[in-house]
């Protein structure tokens, strides 16, 4: 199923923010920052990526429910996607 590009813009924005955070983490490591600070930022990036994944799955589910003729839902595949983020 192809997701609506306009609706995916929020996910893209979140991923770009995470990309910037990853660059910041690399700089923190190179600068010898404290372990706790680095891990805190890694946790924030991880959460941002998880939210982007769940938002993507949510959009796919909405599309399947709103237009089942053009977007048939493969329940097993959607479940695998959802659980892959858990």
């Amino acid at each position: 199923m192809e997701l609506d590009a306009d609706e995916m813009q929020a996910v893209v924005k979140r991923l770009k923010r995470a990309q910037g955070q990853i660059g910041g983490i690399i700089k923190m490591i190179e600068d010898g920052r404290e372990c706790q600070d680095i891990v805190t930022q890694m946790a924030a990036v991880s959460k941002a990526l998880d939210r982007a994944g769940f938002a993507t799955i949510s959009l796919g589910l909405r599309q399947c429910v709103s237009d089942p003729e053009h977007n048939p839902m493969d329940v097993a595949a959607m479940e695998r996607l959802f659980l892959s983020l858990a």
Side-chain angles (χ1 to χ4, degrees), residues 5 14-16 29 32-33 38-39 48 57 66-68 72-74:
R14 187 180 300 274
L15 290 172
K16 286 182 179 182
I29 292 168
R33 295 278 302 270
I38 294 168
V39 172
I57 291 171
S66 66
D67 189 7
M73 186 181 318
D74 181 343

Side-chain angles (χ1 to χ4, degrees), residues 13-77:
K13 185 177 179 179
R14 187 180 300 274
L15 290 172
K16 286 182 179 182
R17 191 176 313 126
Q19 184 178 34
Q21 287 176 296
I22 290 170
I25 291 168
I26 292 169
K27 180 150 178 42
M28 291 172 74
I29 292 168
E30 291 172 344
D31 292 347
R33 295 278 302 270
E34 292 291 323
C35 175
Q36 182 176 352
D37 296 336
I38 294 168
V39 172
T40 298
Q41 289 305 309
M42 286 180 172
V45 169
S46 179
K47 187 172 185 177
L49 291 175
D50 288 345
R51 286 180 181 254
F54 285 123
T56 302
I57 291 171
S58 174
L59 176 58
L61 287 172
R62 281 196 315 268
Q63 284 183 205
C64 288
V65 170
S66 66
D67 189 7
E69 287 185 30
H70 293 98
N71 296 305
M73 186 181 318
D74 181 343
V75 175

